[in-house]
Amino acid sequence: MAKPFSFKVLATDGKARRGVIDMPRGEIRTPAFMPVGTGGTVKTMYMDQVRGLGADIILGNTYHLMLRPGAERVARLGGLHEFARWPHPILTDSGGFQVMSLSKLRKLTEKGVTFRSHIDGAAHEMSPERSIEIQGLLDSDIQMQLDECTALPAELKEIERAMELSLRWAERCKTAFGDQPGKAMFGIVQGGDNAALRVRSAQVLSAMELKGYAVGGLAVGEPQAVMLEMLDITCPELPADKPRYLMGVGTPDDILKSVARGIDMFDCVMPTRAGRHGLAYTRRGKVNLRNARHADDPRPLDEESDCPAARDYSRAYLHHLVRSQEALGAMLLTWNNLSYYQKLMQDIRAAIETGSFEARGAEITEGWARGDMPVL
């Protein structure tokens, strides 16, 4: 009999929560940041590197994996954990966001979405049931409901229509998911930037008694203040004994402010994407290695970092790699960025445990505000 999925809050500091999700493939310490492994790979990283940085869980993408190499093929090859050599928990998104954003030719109905692949134009169908089926074939540990994510700004009627459709799809996903020992399906709160719709979505989903809840449809172009306002409204409506996941967020500052409002889980492509484009996240804020100021600088990115990429390579060398478009530049900066994000989460968890989250958050923010070291 598989170990049941469970979530326990171990400590609180204001609304911030330190907890743990327990699953057959391992524990997930929360607040947690999930590196994004879109197509079965965290770009430019080895999986043992990702684990070594402190990641308990990674994210896989249903849309991309269903198109290439195909969910049935991944299943035949032992599931995504075996395929990607990541034996720890994996969360898969439903594919809905990518269907809406990447597929130019699509048709949305009550049944689901028909769309054409952005890779080869082939026709596909994605229903709530098919989304859960694909996530099952991938052998995902945490599976997300199919929803319709509306880009902001949008008309109120459009936001409401998409939110209500997502609620109906959540019921169908719950039925399709059934009882899978040791695994979980999360619902997704929608409602755009409208408080009443967010409250209704959260309340209806809460009544479904799912194992976890995500807040979706934020970080899609709205100002940070709007995102935080929606979290202030939404989080109190969600069950206190279930994990809360803010999808697609975000910057280190977004994470600090969202933890303060009760969020437990995050994912974002920023640290890996930034690494591939010459941008490093550090305790002194963001550092652009493309800038000529680094060309003759023998100092490392951060002499106090535990990460070799930040500690052992000169800024001049990193600048050279980035400007020369060498693959190693993307590898080193992604390594640095994911290290920084995981260290941030470790700091957050420790601060909540000791009741010093607000003070530690202020120290971290002040470090960013002081900026990078002076030019030599």
Side-chain angles (χ1 to χ4, degrees):
M1 188 72 178
K3 179 192 297 185
F5 174 96
S6 68
F7 172 67
K8 184 177 182 181
V9 177
L10 303 176
T12 59
D13 188 358
K15 294 179 182 178
R17 295 137 52 101
R18 162 75 174 100
V20 62
I21 297 171
D22 198 15
M23 307 190 75
R25 286 191 169 100
E27 289 186 347
I28 304 163
R29 297 163 293 175
T30 65
F33 179 80
M34 300 180 284
V36 175
T38 300
T41 169
V42 178
K43 287 184 172 59
T44 77
M45 294 286 289
Y46 298 111
M47 286 301 187
D48 56 355
Q49 280 181 303
V50 176
R51 181 65 172 177
L53 294 175
D56 296 329
I57 178 172
I58 63 171
L59 179 144
N61 183 269
T62 292
Y63 171 87
H64 289 283
L65 289 166
M66 72 174 279
L67 295 182
R68 189 170 53 192
E72 284 77 9
R73 175 172 288 160
V74 172
R76 290 194 301 270
L77 293 168
L80 189 55
H81 299 84
E82 177 67 22
F83 192 54
R85 307 302 298 163
W86 176 266
H88 317 290
I90 293 176
L91 179 148
T92 45
D93 62 15
S94 69
F97 179 81
Q98 285 74 25
V99 168
M100 307 302 170
S101 62
L102 294 180
S103 302
K104 295 179 180 178
L105 298 174
R106 63 181 182 270
K107 182 179 180 182
L108 181 71
T109 67
E110 186 71 30
K111 180 181 177 182
V113 190
T114 56
F115 65 95
R116 292 194 176 276
S117 164
H118 74 284
I119 298 171
D120 58 10
H124 295 270
E125 292 186 6
M126 177 77 82
S127 66
E129 293 78 11
R130 177 59 177 159
S131 175
I132 295 297
E133 179 187 17
I134 293 169
Q135 294 180 74
L137 288 166
L138 298 173
D139 198 21
S140 167
D141 302 286
I142 300 177
Q143 303 174 22
M144 304 303 300
Q145 74 151 101
L146 184 66
D147 64 329
E148 183 185 354
C149 179
T150 305
L152 297 177
E155 294 292 330
L156 179 60
K157 286 185 177 179
E158 179 64 10
I159 296 172
E160 183 175 16
R161 181 202 60 74
M163 184 273 291
E164 294 289 353
L165 178 64
S166 295
L167 289 177
R168 295 191 296 274
W169 282 1
E171 285 280 13
R172 288 167 57 187
C173 285
K174 179 184 177 182
T175 299
F177 181 81
D179 180 22
Q180 298 185 33
K183 296 190 176 186
M185 192 208 88
F186 284 17
I188 303 176
V189 177
Q190 290 290 353
D193 54 1
N194 183 273
L197 295 182
R198 286 281 174 183
V199 168
R200 168 166 166 75
S201 179
Q203 289 178 344
V204 173
L205 287 170
S206 296
M208 294 183 195
E209 298 184 349
L210 304 172
K211 292 182 180 178
Y213 296 90
V215 181
L218 297 175
V220 289
E222 81 287 355
Q224 186 195 59
V226 173
M227 179 186 80
L228 297 177
E229 179 188 358
M230 292 302 103
L231 292 181
D232 283 329
I233 290 163
T234 302
C235 286
E237 301 295 334
L238 296 173
D241 61 345
K242 303 289 179 69
R244 302 168 185 156
Y245 163 31
L246 181 54
M247 303 183 75
V249 174
T251 67
D253 186 55
D254 288 337
I255 289 173
L256 273 180
K257 289 183 168 71
S258 300
V259 167
R261 289 159 171 81
I263 294 295
D264 306 300
M265 301 170 68
F266 301 87
D267 81 279
C268 189
V269 298
M270 282 185 181
T272 47
R273 180 177 290 166
R276 298 194 304 277
H277 291 88
L279 190 66
Y281 285 93
T282 78
R283 60 190 170 90
R284 300 183 179 100
K286 291 184 287 187
V287 177
N288 186 351
L289 272 303
R290 290 185 175 276
N291 288 346
R293 60 165 287 182
H294 303 293
D296 294 301
D297 195 335
R299 298 171 297 180
L301 265 177
D302 186 350
E303 69 284 356
E304 296 181 10
S305 175
D306 294 331
C307 177
R311 185 192 62 220
D312 297 343
Y313 294 85
S314 72
R315 289 167 178 243
Y317 183 58
L318 295 172
H319 170 78
H320 159 69
L321 294 176
V322 169
R323 292 298 294 267
S324 302
Q325 299 184 351
E326 290 286 350
L328 182 59
M331 294 166 67
L332 290 173
L333 292 181
T334 301
W335 190 7
N336 166 81
N337 290 348
L338 287 178
S339 173
Y340 179 78
Y341 267 66
Q342 293 300 341
K343 180 63 165 61
L344 175 66
M345 305 316 294
Q346 291 167 17
D347 276 359
I348 287 171
R349 292 191 294 264
I352 295 171
E353 287 178 356
T354 58
S356 58
F357 173 68
E358 185 175 356
R360 181 61 182 136
E363 289 176 0
I364 292 169
T365 303
E366 287 167 10
W368 298 332
R370 284 194 295 270
D372 195 15
M373 61 178 67
V375 180
L376 278 179

